[in-house]
Amino acid sequence: MSTLSISVGPQHPGSGHFRIMVKLDGDRIVEALPDPGYVHRGEEKLAEYRNYIQNIPHFERPIVHDSSNILFAYVSAVEDLMKLEVPERGQYIRVVMAELNRIIAHLYYMAIYGIFVGHSTMFMWPMGDRELFIDVAQMISGQRVTFAFLLPGGVRNDMPEGVKERAEKACDYFEKRLVEYEKIFINNPLFERRTRGMGVLTKQDAIRLGVVGPTLRASGVKADLRKDEPYAVYDKLDFDIPVSQDGDSWARAWVHMEEMRQSMAIIRQALKDMPSGPVKLNLRGQIRAPSGETFARTEASRGALSFYLVSNGGMMPYRVRLITPSFRNMIAIPHILKGLLLADLPPAFWGLDYWPVEADR
Amino acid sequence: MSETPETEQKPPERESKLVDGLTAKLGKDVLEVDIKPKRIKVKVKPERIKDAAEYIKNELGFDHVASVSGVDYPNDQELEVIYHIAAYEREDLRDLVVALAARIPRQDPKTPTLTDIWPSSEYSERETYEMIGIIFEGHPKLERLLLPEDWDDIPPLRKEFKNPGR
Amino acid sequence: MSEIRTFPDFVKRLVIVVGGLVILLVVLFGVLVNTVPVVSEFNDVLLASLSNPGVMLAYLDSLGVGLNSTIFRIVVFPGFTWAALIAAEVIWFERKFLAKMQLRVGPLYAGVIAGILQPIADMIKLLFKELTAPARADKLVFYSIPLLLNAIGAALLAVLPVSEAWIIMRSDVSMLVVFAVIGFAPITVLLAGWASNSKFPFIGALRGLHQMIAFEIPMLIAALSVVLLAGTLDLVNIVQAQSSIWFIVLMPMGAIVFFCCLLAELERIPFDLPEAESEIVMGYQTEYSSMAFGNLQLGVYIRFYAMAGIFTTLFLGGWHGPMILPAGFEIANQVEWFTLKTLLVMVFMIVLRGVNPRFRMDQLLRFGWARLLVLAFVNLFLAILILQMGWFP
């Protein structure tokens, strides 16, 4: 059997900073090996040279459009070591930021998904609607993308007046838009024909490979750390975990779509229930975590994200181990691509919501 | 910043129950047990790590590896390898993380791979191999993952590796 | 001359070159006017036509390139220049229209109204880019493909009846000419992929080949039913046969089949597999740069216009339409109706691009062979039925 090997990436419109070495038999993929590392920054090493506060903007870099969620895990780890109790209002604001970030990241996902199946309108719409939520987040944090908003002990500042109205307005508008997205994209017969039953990851395989996030939930495992191990105030909020039993590329897009609805519900509730009070602890001087180790994880937009933090009591962490959801989902890439047609590679690959920068760290 | 005093608490019941079976099985080979709410750390002798892993998977039902980490302790001339293990299948265990650790000598950093028990540890082990130089014996594909192909320095997460420009 | 390093250098060089050329031309013209009789005659006509344009037209007629000459029809109207202009503005319209659909602005700055000069600006940009070819490409074939693609697009214009009076070449079998030319397109695409000597273009070319061959046959059969009803292979006669009722009313199924095949032949979304950018970069166009790419795009859009024109001719009654211009402008009315209908067909194709993702190869081939072919045959039998029962006047 003679095969044609092609490199999809790193200079390919359908790959990002990433390469998939594909072996083709005709038009069918017989082997697909991921080759990450093109945007490896050495975050873990660099973190050993920075103190706990300097690490905050630093750790946003792998996932700029999901910055609050990655910081959520980091500050949880630091707080766990320092035994800090965050004021309740701070926790609510954290949840609002995390969910805004989840919508922003999911919209990014929908946009790229659109262009990967050749649907240019679906590329432009989410990119435009993202602005709404970026604007709300900007109102809260003062930044548009890398918010650097969460600190050990709380959040950087309180919300200004009018955030609630702005967020409600954005959610009202976006709920209508989601229906349109469903009409033009998710329920488009051509799109369903392209992605239904394609790139299937069964429930057993999903558990065996330890995939996370929407990919896992699309395969029928109702696991979400916001419910399973409620951090911050997620246990006080009422929301659903969308689960699909299909495990195919279409189900992954659908799960992302439904999660945006749930995120909006969370934002509405959190803004409504938010108590008044301080938003952060008054920590003076250099933050120094006592020696010890901790393992903190949160549900980032792409799935469970974990920090393993070892401190020796110094100004800087002794060792930080950051495991991102994309890195954990990478193991599914060769698994689901095998046996597909080359034309299915972009939608199947993007269905996993694999973000090279996040995986390389 | 206030130092909260260490309060002597009884270890949580559910967590300690899980560990009891393991300590009973491995006996003296369990070197250290650290139990916090929702977090268990078990340090075992490196030659028994596979037995411990099998017990944790088959008897306790933790079905995937969330992270594999290596920590360098140059003062002790040791490397610590830590598997953080979690569960999907059993819903009552989903909030728990078991850390299975072993210390191996820095000069001869070899440990058996756990990919045959948890396939989900494949890429994490590969990364730990190249970043801190732990050799996982029996790993199906122990190759470079993130670093450039022409990397010829020591593994970068060892403490004696200094960042260029620092 | 010194090397260009900064922008002022560039402007200096531009002034020197353009100024030098102008001076050279003026001097040359001045010399020629006084020595060569043809040039001095042209000079006289030029001066006279400033007050009376008829003089210039008569002069051009006497040279054989006047408004009624074949050369004029080939080069200007309804030939290449006309098609190229429509192609350029359709590119603009497509971008602007899609932008509106996608809640964007689209081209905005080039040109006074809504970026209408954007295609021209793009062309100038492409002209100034470096022309490259892969090291091991078959250079001769590689560089001739854009021209070839232009040629096969433009060849269709030869038989396209824009109006009764404006047709470049009237033939009794112009329908066959159309299919001969369409059948040539897959070979061009395959040659483009092969000559690039690169993997993604080659995959794109193979896809193009499969797709075009699969959709040519239903297209042919759908057109055959039109030929049966009209009883002629001449496109002008086909249009005249539709003076009372358009064929799209008689054979909606045939029109749909033909339209789908048109989309596939033109490689437009949802059938743009040969150039699916997220899968195979840009298909057979991947390795082209600079004006070679520009020519390729021009060829694609000229073909777009020509094929939409053929759809208009076969199903939408060609130039027929109510008289909306004042009396005495019958020919202009026909041209305007033909252009309007053709543009409408093109707009409809652009809308489809806005709302659909693309097919996969196997789905596409199944659609072509198993659905459209069957429908085309059913339509053929219906056409025969209509003919036999005498329902068609």
Side-chain angles (χ1 to χ4, degrees):
Chain A
M1 185 176 69
S2 67
T3 53
L4 174 73
S5 11
I6 55 172
S7 276
V8 180
Q11 300 284 338
H12 184 282
S15 69
H17 316 283
F18 178 64
R19 181 161 72 135
I20 310 175
M21 286 170 286
V22 178
K23 281 211 177 87
L24 285 179
D25 175 23
D27 211 10
R28 206 160 279 283
I29 298 171
V30 287
E31 190 184 29
L33 290 178
D35 176 22
Y38 288 90
V39 274
H40 175 64
R41 291 188 176 92
E43 297 281 344
E44 294 173 4
K45 185 73 179 176
L46 291 173
E48 294 173 14
Y49 289 86
R50 282 161 177 74
N51 65 35
Y52 288 96
I53 291 294
Q54 285 171 327
N55 269 329
I56 288 174
H58 173 231
F59 273 130
E60 286 182 330
R61 298 294 138 180
I63 330 176
V64 283
H65 50 245
D66 195 18
S67 52
S68 292
N69 276 313
I70 190 168
L71 285 186
F72 214 140
Y74 172 68
V75 296
S76 307
V78 177
E79 281 157 9
D80 191 33
L81 277 181
M82 295 173 69
K83 309 241 174 342
L84 301 177
E85 198 63 43
V86 182
E88 201 172 5
R89 187 175 171 85
Q91 290 191 349
Y92 270 98
I93 297 179
R94 278 183 179 185
V95 167
V96 170
M97 285 303 282
E99 294 307 317
L100 281 173
N101 252 149
R102 194 182 309 278
I103 295 177
I104 291 168
H106 279 9
L107 279 175
Y108 195 94
Y109 168 89
M110 299 303 293
I112 306 290
Y113 209 141
I115 200 69
F116 271 15
V117 291
H119 198 310
S120 49
T121 302
M122 199 55 201
F123 175 67
M124 296 297 173
W125 280 7
M127 281 295 182
D129 291 338
R130 258 179 99 216
E131 290 296 312
L132 291 172
F133 296 98
I134 289 179
D135 282 349
V136 177
Q138 183 189 11
M139 246 180 125
I140 300 175
S141 70
Q143 298 287 330
R144 284 182 56 79
V145 186
T146 49
F147 308 116
F149 193 58
L150 277 61
L151 310 172
V155 293
R156 192 148 41 85
N157 52 267
D158 203 349
M159 294 196 306
E161 287 292 308
V163 168
K164 193 176 171 207
E165 290 71 30
R166 185 77 172 266
E168 294 270 342
K169 214 171 146 191
C171 290
D172 286 344
Y173 170 78
F174 189 60
E175 258 158 23
K176 283 186 214 122
R177 289 289 286 170
L178 271 178
V179 180
E180 286 177 26
Y181 284 14
E182 277 177 355
K183 274 186 200 153
I184 202 171
F185 188 60
I186 292 278
N187 293 333
N188 186 325
L190 266 183
F191 177 70
E192 287 201 36
R193 198 184 267 231
R194 262 318 278 283
T195 51
R196 283 255 195 203
M198 187 262 285
V200 175
L201 192 65
T202 59
K203 190 172 178 180
Q204 286 73 29
D205 280 340
I207 291 171
R208 190 172 59 88
L209 297 173
V211 297
V212 289
T215 309
L216 178 71
R217 295 191 277 279
S219 290
V221 184
K222 195 171 181 175
D224 188 317
L225 289 176
R226 289 175 294 171
K227 283 272 188 210
D228 296 335
E229 189 189 343
Y231 50 98
V233 287
Y234 278 113
D235 47 348
K236 295 178 194 164
L237 301 166
D238 177 34
F239 61 99
D240 251 357
I241 309 290
V243 179
S244 167
Q245 302 298 330
D246 300 350
D248 54 11
S249 253
W250 185 87
R252 284 171 207 138
W254 179 84
V255 166
H256 277 84
M257 200 88 146
E258 291 301 312
E259 281 190 7
M260 284 193 269
R261 285 216 168 89
Q262 297 303 328
S263 287
M264 281 190 287
I266 295 175
I267 290 172
R268 283 175 199 268
Q269 285 176 47
L271 285 172
K272 196 163 92 305
D273 302 346
M274 196 175 283
S276 53
V279 295
K280 61 180 167 191
L281 299 174
N282 208 358
L283 302 177
R284 281 195 210 87
Q286 188 71 265
I287 289 188
R288 240 178 236 268
S291 61
E293 56 173 72
T294 184
F295 184 83
R297 49 180 190 166
T298 50
E299 187 75 23
S301 65
R302 296 191 167 86
L305 186 150
S306 60
F307 269 92
Y308 173 56
L309 193 64
V310 183
S311 166
N312 59 356
M315 271 163 33
M316 303 168 192
Y318 184 74
R319 171 83 167 97
V320 182
R321 176 73 166 139
L322 162 61
I323 292 280
T324 48
S326 287
F327 184 73
R328 286 179 65 183
N329 281 345
M330 187 164 67
I331 196 166
I333 290 175
H335 188 83
I336 65 163
L337 287 187
K338 199 176 171 186
L340 293 182
L341 297 174
L342 178 65
D344 280 336
L345 187 141
F349 160 67
W350 189 258
L352 291 174
D353 207 353
Y354 178 84
W355 184 244
V357 194
E358 186 187 301
D360 290 358
R361 291 156 295 157
Chain B
M1 192 172 111
S2 62
E3 291 279 332
T4 40
E6 288 285 332
T7 45
E8 281 298 319
Q9 280 179 337
K10 255 180 67 179
E13 210 170 300
R14 184 175 59 137
E15 283 82 346
S16 28
K17 231 186 226 168
L18 287 172
V19 180
D20 286 344
L22 187 65
T23 43
K25 192 181 174 216
L26 293 186
K28 269 195 207 150
D29 292 334
V30 176
L31 300 175
E32 194 185 316
V33 176
D34 181 15
I35 297 174
K36 288 184 231 162
K38 296 177 187 173
R39 299 285 184 270
I40 304 166
K41 186 174 179 185
V42 184
K43 201 185 279 179
V44 297
K45 279 192 175 167
E47 54 270 22
R48 296 302 299 275
I49 191 165
K50 207 148 187 168
D51 299 329
E54 264 161 11
Y55 180 83
I56 292 172
K57 181 177 185 196
N58 299 332
E59 308 295 324
L60 303 185
F62 286 87
D63 48 22
H64 70 275
V65 169
S67 120
V68 180
S69 327
V71 187
D72 187 15
Y73 291 105
N75 295 340
D76 308 344
Q77 282 297 308
E78 275 176 333
L79 295 174
E80 190 171 272
V81 55
I82 303 129
Y83 288 80
H84 286 99
I85 304 147
Y88 283 144
E89 196 85 66
R90 282 186 56 185
E91 291 190 18
D92 55 324
L93 295 180
R94 277 195 191 156
D95 56 339
L96 283 176
V97 177
V98 177
L100 176 65
R103 288 222 178 184
I104 50 180
R106 210 156 174 266
Q107 303 308 326
D108 182 30
K110 286 196 177 124
T111 178
T113 178
L114 300 187
T115 43
D116 42 355
I117 299 169
W118 291 296
S120 41
S121 67
E122 182 184 343
Y123 285 91
S124 290
E125 280 187 0
R126 257 175 91 177
E127 200 200 349
T128 308
Y129 156 72
E130 69 171 352
M131 290 298 172
I132 209 150
I134 294 171
I135 295 163
F136 293 91
E137 288 172 319
H139 189 283
K141 191 176 179 182
L142 204 58
E143 287 171 14
R144 195 146 280 159
L145 187 68
L146 297 174
L147 288 179
E149 281 126 32
D150 52 353
W151 181 266
D152 59 353
D153 215 330
I154 58 168
L157 279 172
R158 294 270 180 107
K159 287 289 174 190
E160 67 257 36
F161 181 88
K162 296 291 176 208
N163 275 10
R166 281 267 167 189
Chain C
M1 270 205 197
S2 61
E3 214 175 316
I4 298 178
R5 291 205 173 274
T6 58
F7 185 67
D9 284 352
F10 170 73
V11 174
K12 249 183 248 166
R13 173 75 63 87
L14 204 67
V15 168
I16 290 171
V17 170
V18 173
L21 273 178
V22 167
I23 291 168
L24 201 71
L25 282 176
V26 166
V27 169
L28 204 66
F29 194 69
V31 171
L32 286 178
V33 162
N34 293 319
T35 52
V36 185
V38 177
V39 178
S40 65
E41 193 188 328
F42 178 71
N43 192 32
D44 294 343
V45 173
L46 199 66
L47 292 176
S49 67
L50 287 178
S51 56
N52 179 13
V55 178
M56 184 56 118
L57 289 178
Y59 174 69
L60 288 177
D61 260 342
S62 72
L63 288 181
V65 293
L67 285 180
N68 293 320
S69 63
T70 313
I71 300 260
F72 178 80
R73 291 190 176 194
I74 292 174
V75 175
V76 185
F77 180 82
F80 194 78
T81 310
W82 172 248
L85 267 180
I86 289 195
E89 283 321 308
V90 162
I91 293 176
W92 168 80
F93 178 78
E94 178 170 8
R95 294 176 60 175
K96 198 75 185 169
F97 187 72
L98 278 180
K100 291 287 174 207
M101 281 180 82
Q102 299 167 350
L103 310 177
R104 298 185 282 129
V105 193
L108 190 62
Y109 297 108
V112 185
I113 325 150
I116 197 152
L117 293 182
Q118 189 65 43
I120 314 288
D122 283 346
M123 198 191 73
I124 293 170
K125 179 199 76 175
L126 282 174
L127 276 173
F128 280 95
K129 286 197 156 189
E130 191 188 353
L131 192 59
T132 58
R136 274 180 290 173
D138 187 336
K139 297 280 189 325
L140 180 67
V141 182
F142 184 78
Y143 284 128
S144 55
I145 288 295
L147 298 179
L148 201 59
L149 207 72
N150 260 325
I152 62 165
L156 290 173
L157 300 173
V159 292
L160 202 61
V162 175
S163 86
E164 253 167 326
W166 289 102
I167 174 165
I168 297 171
M169 181 197 79
R170 185 164 174 189
S171 155
D172 286 344
V173 289
S174 43
M175 200 62 217
L176 292 184
V177 175
V178 168
F179 278 101
V181 173
I182 288 175
F184 199 63
I187 300 170
T188 333
V189 169
L190 184 68
L191 275 178
W194 178 76
S196 302
N197 206 348
S198 173
K199 281 172 183 172
F200 287 116
F202 189 64
I203 295 174
L206 286 182
R207 284 183 175 195
L209 195 67
H210 276 101
Q211 167 173 340
M212 287 174 169
I213 289 175
F215 281 80
E216 227 159 67
I217 296 162
M219 192 177 189
L220 196 80
I221 293 166
L224 190 63
S225 46
V226 172
V227 171
L228 272 180
L229 277 191
T232 170
L233 278 169
D234 187 352
L235 286 175
V236 177
N237 288 345
I238 288 177
V239 175
Q240 274 159 356
Q242 299 178 67
S243 56
S244 56
I245 184 161
W246 297 355
F247 284 144
I248 193 171
V249 184
L250 283 176
M251 298 182 296
M253 196 195 284
I256 291 169
V257 170
F258 196 85
F259 186 78
C260 289
C261 296
L262 220 57
L263 281 175
E265 286 287 317
L266 291 167
E267 295 156 19
R268 297 196 62 81
I269 285 177
F271 302 107
D272 72 328
L273 286 94
E275 49 196 74
E277 70 275 353
S278 55
E279 293 161 19
I280 49 171
V281 192
M282 197 64 192
Y284 63 90
Q285 305 176 358
T286 305
E287 299 290 353
Y288 285 92
S289 64
S290 182
M291 207 49 209
F293 179 74
N295 260 326
L296 215 59
Q297 285 294 314
L298 184 67
V300 166
Y301 275 86
I302 285 183
R303 221 163 134 243
F304 186 21
Y305 163 68
M307 301 278 253
I310 286 169
F311 183 80
T312 311
T313 307
L314 292 186
F315 289 100
L316 293 182
W319 63 71
H320 288 301
M323 188 75 187
I324 52 169
L325 292 182
F329 285 91
E330 279 82 7
I331 296 297
N333 191 49
Q334 288 178 353
V335 172
E336 159 249 307
W337 272 112
F338 175 83
T339 314
L340 218 62
K341 286 176 192 171
T342 309
L343 288 179
L344 205 70
V345 174
M346 290 161 100
V347 169
F348 193 62
M349 291 192 193
I350 293 170
V351 173
L352 283 179
R353 179 180 166 182
V355 294
N356 277 325
R358 74 171 69 86
F359 271 105
R360 204 171 56 207
M361 199 71 218
D362 54 332
Q363 296 167 345
L364 174 108
L365 291 180
R366 196 171 305 130
F367 181 65
W369 290 111
R371 304 281 187 285
L372 286 187
L373 195 58
V374 176
L375 284 182
F377 268 114
V378 171
N379 183 63
L380 187 64
F381 294 132
L382 286 181
I384 293 171
L385 190 71
I386 293 173
L387 203 64
Q388 289 298 315
M389 303 299 280
W391 291 337
F392 180 64

